[in-house]
Amino acid sequence: MPPTLLLSRHLPDEAVALARQHVAVRMAPEDRRLSPAELGRQLQDADGLVCLLTDTVDAALLERATRLRVVANVAVGYNNIDVAAASRRKIVVTNTPGVLTETTADFTWALLLAVARRVVEADAYTRAGQYKEWGLQLLLGGDVFGRTLGILGLGRIGKAVARRARGFSMRMLYDDAVRDPAAEQELGVVYQPKKTILAEADFLTVHVPLLPETHHYIGEPELRRMKPTAYLVNASRGPVVDEAALARALREGWIAGAGLDVYEDEPRVHPGLLETRKAVLAPHIGSASIETRHLMARMAVENALAVLAGRRPPNPVNPEVLGS
Ligand code: DGY
């Protein structure tokens, strides 16, 4: 009997076909989110799971999945999975690093430019037939070229954002848990403590993973340190920013605007963010290019297939369970 691989959601055809060449694929006829109870039932006799960041894979679920050997997330972030619980059960967890870096950096820039130059407001204004004549003071925004970009988290995506910023002749400051002299040399980014970056950045972009220590990494004290003309961009994980504090910061003018792709309790968006035009809001589409989403799905399937075939997967996040 071939191993059974559960796909929690429909994947692009090519990724499903690849899986079908090697294992028995289980996939619901309808593409909708499975409730925890449904997911638990489907996993009871499955050997592998390919899931999305909207699936919560917690200790209780893993406990019921007695045959499970691999959880392959179709995302680079994996805060939806209790990795420690998986490791205790010798279940391999994998993610999809690398393939979405450039696409997510592009989208970070889309948000940055959109919020600074009020693209969304301008579009709404034009469609509403309000454009009657050119105006010297119409929809004025903030300049990007030559300004200071603060990057919190200089991992793959943070670096890809910095690479683009060079084209805008920006001064770049970064903070990260580990200083990166090679990146400083290559990209011209300057290491500074977070406190300094908050005070000096005209644009602050956050690229840290969601960990207990990065929960509300940008909260009221941080927002109050920023310039009233500064913009915040977050395409990492929602809970990294305290949304209530951000809504207040925008309402009271502590900062000029925010471009957000992620939220604390997705798909819910804080009402204070929905009501302000100073925020450009996207539905977590940072990696959503056709090519990248296909690559992510394929990568997740390859990770799952490798484990089910007794091979080392390309992208384990808990390699300690694999042994040497
Ligand atoms: C990820 O991969 O973690 C993104 O949030 C979705 O692409």
Side-chain angles (χ1 to χ4, degrees):
M1 278 269 284
T4 298
L5 180 62
L6 173 66
L7 310 183
S8 73
R9 298 297 295 260
H10 289 193
L11 301 181
D13 291 348
E14 181 234 7
V16 179
L18 172 67
R20 285 212 163 103
Q21 282 169 28
H22 302 274
V23 293
V25 169
R26 180 178 299 163
M27 183 173 77
E30 195 193 336
D31 184 26
R32 63 166 177 83
R33 189 147 84 93
L34 299 175
S35 69
E38 288 172 313
L39 193 55
R41 263 196 308 280
Q42 296 288 338
L43 272 182
Q44 260 168 5
D45 59 348
D47 303 278
L49 168 67
V50 174
C51 60
L52 304 191
L53 52 81
T54 45
D55 298 309
T56 300
V57 181
D58 57 16
L61 185 83
L62 293 170
E63 198 164 318
R64 293 172 62 191
T66 49
R67 274 174 50 175
L68 197 64
R69 285 150 59 196
V70 57
V71 176
N73 216 27
V74 190
V76 66
Y78 46 85
N79 52 291
N80 56 312
I81 302 170
D82 186 336
V83 178
S87 297
R88 281 197 297 275
R89 306 186 70 83
K90 301 269 179 278
I91 296 169
V92 185
V93 178
T94 67
N95 68 342
T96 62
V99 286
L100 49 78
T101 300
E102 303 301 337
T103 306
T104 307
D106 284 350
F107 195 72
T108 301
W109 269 91
L111 286 174
L112 188 156
L113 290 167
V115 68
R117 297 304 308 274
R118 304 176 64 180
V119 175
V120 178
E121 278 177 86
D123 179 90
Y125 180 88
T126 310
R127 285 173 199 281
Q130 288 175 277
Y131 180 36
K132 305 289 187 211
E133 66 173 337
W134 185 87
L136 189 64
Q137 311 238 40
L138 179 63
L139 287 164
L140 303 184
D143 269 324
V144 177
F145 187 87
R147 296 299 156 108
T148 297
L149 176 66
I151 303 174
L152 298 179
L154 196 73
R156 289 187 200 86
I157 297 172
K159 283 183 192 145
V161 167
R163 231 170 269 127
R164 286 154 177 76
R166 296 178 83 180
F168 285 82
S169 292
M170 294 180 97
R171 170 179 173 240
M172 289 181 275
L173 309 177
Y174 83 97
D175 187 22
D176 199 293
V178 200
R179 197 167 160 173
D180 188 339
E184 290 173 22
Q185 182 83 14
E186 185 204 330
L187 301 169
V189 290
V190 176
Y191 177 79
Q192 288 287 337
K194 181 181 170 193
K195 260 185 148 179
T196 309
I197 296 177
L198 290 166
E200 294 195 11
D202 298 303
F203 295 89
L204 184 72
T205 183
V206 189
H207 300 285
V208 294
L210 178 59
L211 302 167
E213 54 274 27
T214 57
H215 184 262
H216 287 185
Y217 188 64
I218 302 295
E220 175 168 342
E222 286 77 16
L223 291 161
R224 284 195 185 274
R225 272 194 88 79
M226 290 174 69
K227 298 180 189 175
T229 49
Y231 298 88
L232 170 72
V233 177
N234 185 18
S236 61
R237 282 293 183 265
V240 161
V241 173
D242 178 344
E243 273 178 11
L246 176 59
R248 190 159 161 227
L250 294 172
R251 197 174 58 243
E252 296 181 5
W254 312 348
I255 66 170
L260 305 173
D261 188 38
V262 288
Y263 307 92
E264 279 200 70
D265 181 24
E266 292 179 20
R268 185 184 160 274
V269 180
H270 191 286
L273 298 174
L274 289 172
E275 77 194 15
T276 176
R277 291 179 176 212
K278 292 185 186 168
V280 171
L281 308 173
H284 203 150
I285 56 167
S287 65
S289 75
I290 298 164
E291 297 87 341
T292 293
R293 286 288 166 85
H294 277 77
L295 288 171
M296 289 166 68
R298 187 184 172 90
M299 198 169 188
V301 166
E302 283 171 350
N303 276 313
L305 291 178
V307 176
L308 296 180
R311 286 183 281 111
R312 190 182 174 84
N315 314 103
V317 303
N318 56 349
E320 64 280 5
V321 306
L322 292 164
S324 48

